[in-house]
Amino acid sequence: QQQVKQSPQSLIVQKGGISIINCAYENTAFDYFPWYQQFPGKGPALLIAIRPDVSEKKEGRFTISFNKSAKQFSLHIMDSQPGDSATYFCAASNNAGNMLTFGGGTRLMVKP
Amino acid sequence: NAGVMQNPRHLVRRRGQEARLRCSPMKGHSHVYWYRQLPEEGLKFMVYLQKENIIDESGMPKERFSAEFPKEGPSILRIQQVVRGDSAAYFCASSPPMDNEQFFGPGTRLTVL
């Protein structure tokens, strides 16, 4: 019940295209859903996060869509750039535990 | 404001030796978390600490692994009698009190020969 399932495992997008990464969870106690970006040899960097009281959050080219009834959330990267090429992780936590449960990651490559 | 600091960045140990990984949280952050990342995999929670207290160690292996966050100084993740399966990247994250946001350090890459 603690799992967070992420898809696809890898994604290739042309420059200027939209990258879409999906996650699904089972634990209804989760109430905080962040996305992290990780470059090779670096630590994960917090990109954007959402709570279940809103269905969408946008920051620049990054948008999280959240569907509480389906227990799914997704990251959209608009106007994808080669510099966006990285591994993206979704995660979830609840206030009580604070530990993050991570998805398996999506390796994004944006072709010039 | 410096970010989360971890050292060493790379650590090589032979089987049976001890590994000590250090983490200094961001200024003002009193909560520290340790995660392990195996190659090509996501991060797995190990332990959650506040100053002088272990809050949740449900992700820690029962043997050989221990963690502390003393009143003064960095948090330490200690692995005794390392085995090849311990080879991984170990990340520390910190957060302020009453906040979900966790900020990660650059990690320590442990290689066990």
Side-chain angles (χ1 to χ4, degrees):
Chain A
Q1 206 182 15
Q2 290 294 325
Q3 272 191 322
V4 175
K5 295 183 179 178
Q6 184 171 345
S7 62
Q9 283 188 306
S10 61
L11 181 62
I12 300 174
V13 173
Q14 290 295 130
K15 180 182 175 181
I18 302 174
S19 304
I20 302 174
I21 305 170
N22 301 298
C23 284
Y25 64 98
E26 295 184 3
N27 187 347
T28 54
F30 286 150
D31 62 1
Y32 172 72
F33 303 90
W35 285 89
Y36 284 84
Q37 178 189 57
Q38 185 179 30
F39 293 104
K42 306 291 185 185
L46 181 62
L47 259 183
I48 185 172
I50 198 168
R51 292 190 183 274
D53 52 347
V54 296
S55 60
E56 186 174 282
K57 183 175 180 181
K58 184 176 179 179
E59 289 184 5
R61 295 185 294 110
F62 300 92
T63 300
I64 299 179
S65 298
F66 185 81
N67 185 330
K68 188 174 181 178
S69 60
K71 292 186 284 186
Q72 295 176 347
F73 58 110
S74 60
L75 176 69
H76 295 227
I77 306 174
M78 313 299 285
D79 187 27
S80 299
Q81 299 296 312
D84 297 330
S85 297
T87 300
Y88 292 81
F89 292 98
C90 62
S93 76
N94 59 48
N95 272 329
N98 281 14
M99 57 173 271
L100 288 169
T101 300
F102 281 85
T106 296
R107 185 174 288 184
L108 171 66
M109 179 185 296
V110 181
K111 289 194 167 181
Chain B
N1 188 10
V4 177
M5 299 177 68
Q6 290 188 249
N7 66 80
R9 295 291 310 276
H10 299 273
L11 182 61
V12 179
R13 285 286 178 266
R14 297 193 180 278
R15 280 179 297 168
Q17 291 184 319
E18 178 180 288
R20 266 183 200 238
L21 288 61
R22 288 176 290 277
C23 168
S24 296
M26 287 177 70
K27 188 175 180 181
H29 289 192
S30 56
H31 297 199
V32 165
Y33 312 81
W34 286 93
Y35 294 85
R36 177 164 62 178
Q37 184 177 36
L38 295 170
E40 308 298 325
E41 292 189 13
L43 289 85
K44 297 285 193 289
F45 168 77
M46 298 181 75
V47 62
Y48 163 34
L49 309 106
Q50 295 176 21
K51 285 282 187 182
E52 298 185 283
N53 279 309
I54 297 174
I55 307 301
D56 182 354
E57 55 182 348
S58 58
M60 286 273 274
K62 294 285 184 280
E63 297 178 350
R64 303 188 297 108
F65 285 73
S66 62
E68 62 176 5
F69 189 14
K71 188 176 180 182
E72 302 290 338
S75 175
I76 307 282
L77 179 67
R78 183 180 177 209
I79 311 173
Q80 294 179 291
Q81 299 175 336
V82 296
V83 300
R84 289 220 174 105
D86 296 332
S87 296
Y90 291 84
F91 290 98
C92 166
S94 73
S95 72
M98 308 299 288
D99 196 324
N100 284 91
E101 285 192 351
Q102 294 184 23
F103 297 88
F104 282 78
T108 294
R109 278 145 189 87
L110 172 66
T111 302
V112 180
L113 301 177

